């Protein structure tokens, strides 16, 4: 985008997005500096150590960095945002032989960002997203991920069948998480010595996975008390990632 383009609140059809916050901006700088086109800073941030690192990067790279409260307030709904980077959207592809996390119709932007951060923490850096789904480039997702977005490969698919066609002929254990599945520890133990990669598959926040996923791979269930009907999606993903990365 042109350096003099007037920045507006994010919309999905933009070819660019924003990091809102010092830490996500530093993660972008450290992982994908080539997609940054502009940096906007708060006049209240001059003594911030992270902002000093951002300015050092801008000076070395020649990326424009301006103190501009008016623009920052326009693109960020949070008053305490000290820094934002404008970055061009980019394409990713999933690694064929890597373990995958598959999210079927995730709708909540905060949840999606939290899941990206959790997946990165457990070393799962290939994320398949089945549409319709939240926009991974939305600044709310980027901020909730604390910049983990820039560590992962991700790819959207129109249907789960499209993901299957692309990857499931490649010696892969499919593990849908469902209330009627086998206990998660049993599934993980049974697959412990498998040479195949795994795909952990989760449904959306309100309805989970459709019943037909019981016929796919080896469905797993996170065992918990009957005092609640289910766990929230980021928590369930975290437990699944912890279990399978420790058994495998």
């Amino acid at each position: 985008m042109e350096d003099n383009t007037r920045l507006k609140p994010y919309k999905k059809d933009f070819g660019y997005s924003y990091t809102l916050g010092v830490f996500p901006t530093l993660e972008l700088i450290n992982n994908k500096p080539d997609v940054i086109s502009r940096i906007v800073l708060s006049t209240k941030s001059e003594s911030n150590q992270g902002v000093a690192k951002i300015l050092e990067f801008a000076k070395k790279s020649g990326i424009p960095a301006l103190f501009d409260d008016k623009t920052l307030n326009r693109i960020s709904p949070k008053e305490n945002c000290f820094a934002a980077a404008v970055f061009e959207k980019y394409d990713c592809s999933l690694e064929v032989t890597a373990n995958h996390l598959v999210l079927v119709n995730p709708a909540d932007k905060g949840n999606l960002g939290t899941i990206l951060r959790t997946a990165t923490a457990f070393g799962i850096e290939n994320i398949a997203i089945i549409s319709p789904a939240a926009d991974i480039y939305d600044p709310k997702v980027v901020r909730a991920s604390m910049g983990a977005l820039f560590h992962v490969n991700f790819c959207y698919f129109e249907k789960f069948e499209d993901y299957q066609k692309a990857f499931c002929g490649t010696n892969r254990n499919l593990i849908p998480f469902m209330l009627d599945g086998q206990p998660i520890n049993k599934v993980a133990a049974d697959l412990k010595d498998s040479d195949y990669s795994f795909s952990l598959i989760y449904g959306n926040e309100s309805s989970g996975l459709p019943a037909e996923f019981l016929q796919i791979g080896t469905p797993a269930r996170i065992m918990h008390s009957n005092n609640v009907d289910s766990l929230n999606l980021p928590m369930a993903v975290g437990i699944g990632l912890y279990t399978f990365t420790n058994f495998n």
Side-chain angles (χ1 to χ4, degrees):
M1 64 180 298
E2 296 292 335
D3 290 342
N4 59 359
T5 300
R6 184 177 186 271
L7 299 179
K8 302 176 182 179
Y10 176 80
K11 291 184 179 180
K12 187 175 182 178
D13 61 355
F14 287 179
Y16 57 91
S17 185
Y18 311 122
T19 59
L20 301 179
V22 173
F23 191 84
T25 299
L26 288 172
E27 287 296 287
L28 174 62
I29 287 170
N30 290 332
N31 292 282
K32 292 196 175 293
D34 294 344
V35 302
I36 301 171
S37 61
R38 194 189 318 182
I39 294 169
V40 185
L41 302 167
S42 167
T43 57
K44 301 176 183 179
S45 70
E46 292 183 351
S47 61
N48 185 287
Q49 291 182 351
V51 168
K53 294 178 181 178
I54 292 171
L55 287 170
E56 182 180 359
F57 161 78
K59 183 178 180 180
K60 289 181 179 179
S61 64
I63 299 293
L66 302 175
F67 288 91
D68 185 345
D69 292 336
K70 185 176 181 180
T71 295
L72 198 59
N73 292 335
R74 188 188 314 125
I75 65 175
S76 173
K78 292 186 176 290
E79 294 181 359
N80 63 343
C81 181
F82 284 173
V86 185
F87 68 94
E88 302 297 325
K89 294 180 179 179
Y90 52 89
D91 294 325
C92 293
S93 58
L94 305 186
E95 297 175 74
V96 173
T97 59
N99 295 320
H100 293 175
L101 175 63
V102 183
L103 304 174
V104 180
N105 312 138
D108 186 274
K109 297 168 186 174
N111 282 350
L112 180 55
T114 300
I115 289 168
L116 294 177
R117 187 180 184 191
T118 304
T120 301
F122 288 109
I124 305 300
E125 298 182 346
N126 289 268
I127 318 293
I129 303 173
I130 312 302
S131 297
D135 173 16
I136 202 169
Y137 280 120
D138 191 289
K140 293 179 181 178
V141 177
V142 180
R143 189 177 181 104
S145 81
M146 292 299 288
L149 168 64
F150 309 118
H151 288 270
V152 303
N153 301 312
F154 60 88
C155 188
Y156 280 81
F157 297 87
E158 289 297 318
K159 304 185 296 294
F160 180 74
E161 290 77 11
D162 295 336
Y163 172 77
Q164 284 182 298
K165 290 176 182 177
F167 293 100
C168 296
T170 57
N171 297 337
R172 179 168 293 276
N173 293 308
L174 300 179
I175 306 158
F177 280 76
M178 308 189 71
L179 293 178
D180 294 329
Q182 301 177 41
I184 182 173
N185 285 346
K186 180 181 184 305
V187 175
D190 288 346
L191 298 179
K192 181 178 180 180
D193 296 323
S194 174
D195 293 329
Y196 298 166
S197 302
F198 61 73
S199 294
L200 306 185
I201 308 166
Y202 288 85
N204 80 351
E205 294 86 346
S206 60
S207 58
L209 291 171
E212 55 262 31
F213 277 81
L214 281 170
Q215 309 305 316
I216 294 173
T218 307
R221 178 184 180 185
I222 298 171
M223 309 305 291
H224 55 73
S225 79
N226 294 326
N227 293 329
V228 296
D229 60 350
S230 63
L231 299 171
N232 68 37
L233 182 58
M235 179 66 73
V237 171
I239 292 172
L241 291 169
Y242 174 82
T243 302
F244 280 90
T245 55
N246 276 274
F247 267 101
N248 288 273

